[in-house]
Amino acid sequence: MSLEKNINCERRRFKKITNFRLSHRFMSIGIAIVLLSIVGMFARAFAMEGETEWLKQLLQKTLLVGMLIMSVSKDKVEDEMTIGLRAQSYAIAFVIGVIYALVMPYVEFGVSNAVHSGGEAFKDLGDFQVLLFMLMIQLMIYHNLKRYR
């Protein structure tokens, strides 16, 4: 009997984690964080001089947090269809993100060697670039799937 209780307890915990959604109010908070981060990135790029690498890192992290908040916030009407569409968009974004992370370094290497004939070094993608790409793909695919359902 205790094995069955443990299994049910683990099942409830797993469902609690997989069904986690923020309130719909957080969508506007996420959008505001993303917009402020983008404005801050432009301000840093064009207006600030000197060593601002820490600000770049901070703005990148806040951009990712804002997009994550947008990604996990509920819609006004949350039903089984939107939950399924959200799961599909996460799966598609994951597959496209993995393909992007595998192919893009070789594309950048080929293009940089074609443009700069000096033999550029092979560079790997950073975590920010991959996470940003996957969150953008997930949000775009989810909203497109929702629109054409």
Side-chain angles (χ1 to χ4, degrees):
M1 192 64 149
S2 68
L3 178 63
E4 190 173 316
K5 285 183 181 180
N6 286 341
I7 291 172
N8 287 334
C9 181
E10 290 298 320
R11 185 175 291 138
R12 281 194 307 269
R13 283 186 194 165
F14 186 69
K15 280 191 169 204
K16 191 175 187 179
I17 292 170
T18 58
N19 293 333
F20 174 74
R21 297 281 176 261
L22 294 173
S23 171
H24 178 67
R25 291 180 293 187
F26 283 93
M27 178 63 84
S28 57
I29 293 171
I31 291 171
I33 291 172
V34 166
L35 291 177
L36 287 174
S37 297
I38 291 172
V39 167
M41 287 178 179
F42 277 114
R44 180 193 159 272
F46 295 118
M48 295 184 182
E49 293 180 10
E51 188 61 37
T52 59
E53 187 63 29
W54 63 272
L55 183 60
K56 175 185 174 185
Q57 295 293 322
L58 178 70
L59 291 170
Q60 287 178 348
K61 302 302 185 216
T62 56
L63 178 67
L64 289 177
V65 168
M67 291 181 75
L68 182 64
I69 289 171
M70 290 171 57
S71 177
V72 298
S73 64
K74 289 182 182 178
D75 289 335
K76 286 182 183 176
V77 177
E78 190 82 13
D79 57 359
E80 291 85 12
M81 174 71 99
T82 58
I83 292 170
L85 294 176
R86 190 181 307 270
Q88 280 181 334
S89 69
Y90 281 124
I92 293 169
F94 178 76
V95 170
I96 292 174
V98 169
I99 292 170
Y100 175 78
L102 292 174
V103 171
M104 197 60 191
Y106 297 107
V107 171
E108 284 186 15
F109 179 71
V111 169
S112 66
N113 281 333
V115 172
H116 309 311
S117 59
E120 293 289 318
F122 183 78
K123 294 183 280 187
D124 207 9
L125 295 178
D127 57 345
F128 171 74
Q129 190 173 356
V130 174
L131 290 173
L132 179 70
F133 180 77
M134 288 175 72
L135 283 168
M136 285 183 355
I137 292 296
Q138 188 274 326
L139 289 169
M140 287 188 311
I141 288 177
Y142 176 64
H143 289 289
N144 280 331
L145 287 174
K146 211 171 54 170
R147 186 174 10 157
Y148 297 122
R149 60 179 160 162

